[in-house]
Amino acid sequence: MLNPFDIVIFGGGGDLALRKLLPAMYRAYQEGNLPEGSRILPTVREESKQQEYVETAQQALKSFLGDGEFNNRDWKAFSQYLVPVVINVTEADNHWDELRAILQQDAEDKSRVFYLSLPPAVYGTCCEILSKKKLITATSRVVVEKPIGYCGESAEEINGKIAQYFSEEQIFRIDHYLGKETVQNLMALRFSNALFENLWDAKSIDNIQISISETVGLESRAGFYDKAGALRDMVQNHLLQLLCLVAMESPHKLNANSIRAEKLKVLEALRPLVDEQVDDNIVRGQYVPGELGGKMVPGYLEELGEGSSKTETYVAIRANIDNWRWAGVPFYLRTGKRMKKRCAEIVVEYKRVSHNVYDESVGPIQPNRLVIRLQPEETIQLTLMSKRMDNLNMELQPVTLNIELSQQYGSSFHSDAYKRLMLDAAANNPALFIHRDEVRQAWQWIDPIIERWQTKGAPALYRAGSWGPEDADELLQENNHAWFNVGEQA
Ligand code: BG6
């Protein structure tokens, strides 16, 4: 069991804190994973907000927890952990001394987590004040959210500022996809099954698709999203991290240093896409009004309330990893908002058998396909060819082995990426967090794409409720491939 810890949530009244971080801590409490003597210290800017905070937190839990998760008995006990404090993160005033006094009520070696649920532009100032006010102890850690920066240079600047006050071992950069149980299961599948270990390279695999489609649109994040776009919001972090886990070599041990070293090698081996290669291998899109889930939804520009914006809400990429394992295997990465279905999945398409012993009358032999669905359902499907069993003729047909992981477990366990990652930060376990070198390397691959887009072309339009622009279908057709769209396979 974890030792008691203090977690200070800067930006405690913000969307992330109320939507994700508090529910995560409440679930940890319900499962018996929030040690007694721990404290959750959300910061707010004004005293009035501090007085209202417990009420605000209760409302947030009621709105953002799943059905049946909230109950008054657990809430009463959980609320005892909450210690709201007033802080203005950019002003080194007396409030910080009050925060230090609260933290110093407990032993010096108690684990302290500073969670910066703040815009990256103020990370540096906040860390500087933490240091100036002597709040950083040997057992302190800082958690920062993605995306770090808007390009390689700004990310380096932000990382550099944080590094003035915290050592790399104390910095926990979150990518919440790494906290998803299903994403960790990817490693379990790959590294504990000989079946996959031996069939996981260019000799056996034809192509791999990694796709995160969302049905939500801009939500209330216009200010952030229109500056970021899908490339920075999803590709630079979530998609590239998934790519790393799919493509990396086996780490010699499952510890943070070995995993991060292997992920970094994948990022280093990603073939750069520059100038015309960006146009040839990447499709960016933006949604226009369309029908989604039986009703009409507005387009991106309508949601934004502006006449023009070149921000992409969709990206599809054909990428290559230049190493022995993956030579010649295209990796198709795709993400988009307002798409037909919400789904995150990895589709591994195997090569065809090397010699077909059947004649045409048995029907076509389809390649084997492994589909690892991360959400909304957590399933693993393997499609194999089999003889039809309902007649005497020799006819082949694809059959699918289907494992529904969620059915294996009781309903009391709530897989919650933030819960997992916050507890890991408190336990000083960095395995599922991102190293500075990974951030640097990921931006190095992304920067030339951003540069190209700044001067060339515009997003292709796609209807809300569709699977994205036609150009993205054509991108795969060039290699005789097709997107695997959930629910639309034969
Ligand atoms: C966030 C992005 O990191 O991930 C959002 O900023 C996106 O734009 C979200 O909607 C998707 O996360 P999940 O866990 O709902 O797939």
Side-chain angles (χ1 to χ4, degrees):
M1 174 72 171
L2 189 60
N3 289 325
F5 61 89
D6 287 332
I7 182 162
V8 182
I9 302 179
F10 289 100
D15 196 53
L16 178 73
L18 298 177
R19 228 176 236 277
K20 302 281 187 193
L21 307 186
L22 287 181
M25 288 290 91
Y26 177 84
R27 288 180 177 134
Y29 168 76
Q30 281 190 318
E31 287 160 14
N33 285 323
L34 192 58
E36 234 174 86
S38 299
R39 290 178 295 183
I40 302 165
L41 302 105
T43 76
V44 288
R45 288 219 211 143
E46 295 144 28
E47 264 156 39
S48 61
K49 293 261 173 355
Q50 181 188 26
Q51 282 148 16
E52 292 161 9
Y53 195 84
V54 174
E55 174 61 27
T56 310
Q58 185 181 19
Q59 287 314 323
L61 291 178
K62 283 184 176 165
S63 319
F64 300 124
L65 285 168
D67 287 347
E69 284 189 86
F70 184 90
N71 69 63
N72 281 322
R73 191 174 45 95
D74 287 343
W75 158 249
K76 238 177 139 185
F78 174 74
S79 65
Q80 303 301 310
Y81 288 80
L82 291 176
V83 184
V85 287
V86 176
I87 289 281
N88 181 341
V89 289
T90 52
E91 255 176 58
D93 57 17
N94 294 342
H95 289 304
W96 292 82
D97 303 313
E98 289 162 25
L99 175 60
R100 189 181 56 236
I102 299 174
L103 293 172
Q104 282 177 342
Q105 286 163 359
D106 285 353
E108 167 83 15
D109 63 352
K110 186 179 185 187
S111 192
R112 255 180 218 183
V113 180
F114 299 112
Y115 197 119
L116 308 192
S117 178
L118 301 168
V122 297
Y123 287 174
T125 317
C126 184
C127 292
E128 186 183 340
I129 304 178
L130 280 170
S131 163
K132 208 158 147 187
K133 292 286 184 177
K134 307 219 171 343
L135 282 149
I136 307 174
T137 55
T139 51
S140 290
R141 291 173 275 284
V142 64
V143 179
V144 291
E145 274 287 334
K146 51 96 348 203
I148 297 187
Y150 280 86
C151 59
E153 198 183 327
S154 58
E156 270 300 293
E157 199 178 309
I158 293 168
N159 278 328
K161 272 194 187 152
I162 304 173
Q164 287 175 18
Y165 311 104
F166 290 91
S167 67
E168 180 63 26
E169 290 69 39
Q170 291 177 299
I171 305 171
F172 284 61
R173 298 180 191 83
I174 275 209
D175 179 316
H176 79 275
Y177 264 67
L178 294 184
K180 290 180 190 268
E181 295 296 318
T182 42
V183 173
Q184 289 160 62
N185 194 33
L186 258 182
M187 280 199 276
L189 276 180
R190 283 199 54 200
F191 302 129
S192 60
N193 292 292
L195 185 69
F196 297 129
E197 191 204 333
N198 291 321
L199 295 174
W200 208 260
D201 57 21
K203 282 193 226 95
S204 313
I205 293 176
D206 184 73
N207 72 91
I208 296 187
Q209 300 182 16
I210 305 177
S211 175
I212 307 177
S213 54
E214 299 187 273
T215 49
V216 292
L218 195 48
E219 298 178 288
S220 50
R221 302 162 76 214
F224 159 76
Y225 195 87
D226 198 52
K227 283 202 206 85
L231 189 70
R232 292 184 179 92
D233 185 40
M234 298 294 287
V235 181
Q236 191 271 345
N237 32 79
H238 304 324
L239 271 176
L240 287 187
Q241 283 294 321
L242 289 180
L243 175 70
C244 287
L245 295 182
V246 170
M248 73 184 188
E249 297 301 313
S250 156
H252 78 281
K253 272 200 168 152
L254 269 188
N255 62 29
N257 285 345
S258 320
I259 297 174
R260 289 160 157 195
E262 294 306 336
K263 287 198 293 174
L264 186 61
K265 285 187 209 157
V266 174
L267 294 171
E268 284 167 351
L270 255 180
R271 188 181 302 165
L273 295 173
V274 291
D275 302 331
E276 295 82 32
Q277 293 161 340
V278 172
D279 317 337
D280 294 346
N281 292 286
I282 307 188
V283 173
R284 59 179 153 154
Q286 190 185 76
Y287 60 87
V288 294
E291 197 185 317
L292 183 64
K295 58 175 203 236
M296 281 303 288
V297 296
Y300 179 73
L301 295 181
E302 286 81 8
E303 280 188 47
L304 192 64
E306 280 182 30
S308 74
S309 161
K310 272 173 67 177
T311 299
E312 77 289 353
T313 60
Y314 173 100
V315 182
I317 304 178
R318 177 171 50 206
N320 281 276
I321 298 174
D322 286 330
N323 62 19
W324 274 34
R325 185 183 283 273
W326 296 117
V329 178
F331 283 81
Y332 300 113
L333 312 178
R334 166 175 78 161
T335 185
K337 295 216 179 273
R338 287 286 194 226
M339 289 175 70
K340 188 164 184 178
K341 288 201 176 130
R342 173 173 182 255
C343 186
E345 65 190 359
I346 292 151
V347 180
V348 179
E349 213 155 51
Y350 282 88
K351 290 202 158 139
R352 290 174 188 278
V353 287
S354 53
H355 170 67
N356 187 357
V357 295
Y358 296 101
D359 63 36
E360 277 173 12
S361 66
V362 304
I365 299 187
Q366 292 181 14
N368 298 135
R369 191 171 51 215
L370 173 70
V371 180
I372 304 169
R373 189 161 302 140
L374 310 172
Q375 61 190 31
E377 318 87 30
E378 302 165 358
T379 58
I380 301 171
Q381 294 172 339
L382 181 62
T383 304
L384 307 167
M385 292 307 292
S386 149
K387 181 193 177 308
R388 282 190 73 128
M389 298 294 180
D390 53 0
N391 64 45
L392 290 178
N393 300 337
M394 187 61 211
E395 278 179 49
L396 295 177
Q397 66 174 7
V399 289
T400 300
L401 294 171
N402 190 4
I403 304 171
E404 297 201 13
L405 290 169
S406 49
Q407 287 191 355
Q408 312 257 326
Y409 310 100
S411 58
S412 63
F413 181 75
H414 287 276
S415 145
D416 175 330
Y418 278 97
K419 172 186 70 185
R420 166 69 195 235
L421 294 172
M422 290 167 89
L423 294 177
D424 274 2
N428 199 20
N429 178 5
L432 299 176
F433 293 82
I434 301 183
H435 192 275
R436 182 172 181 174
D437 295 343
E438 292 174 72
V439 178
R440 187 183 289 131
Q441 198 61 44
W443 277 118
Q444 202 165 315
W445 193 73
I446 295 286
D447 276 348
I449 305 173
I450 297 175
E451 265 165 44
R452 179 72 177 177
W453 285 356
Q454 273 162 357
T455 55
K456 195 92 185 131
L461 303 178
Y462 64 99
R463 262 181 313 100
S466 71
W467 282 109
E470 280 169 17
D471 295 4
D473 295 333
E474 285 161 20
L475 182 71
L476 268 65
Q477 279 157 15
E478 288 169 14
N479 299 49
N480 283 326
H481 294 141
W483 290 108
F484 181 91
N485 293 330
V486 60
E488 296 186 3
Q489 260 60 42

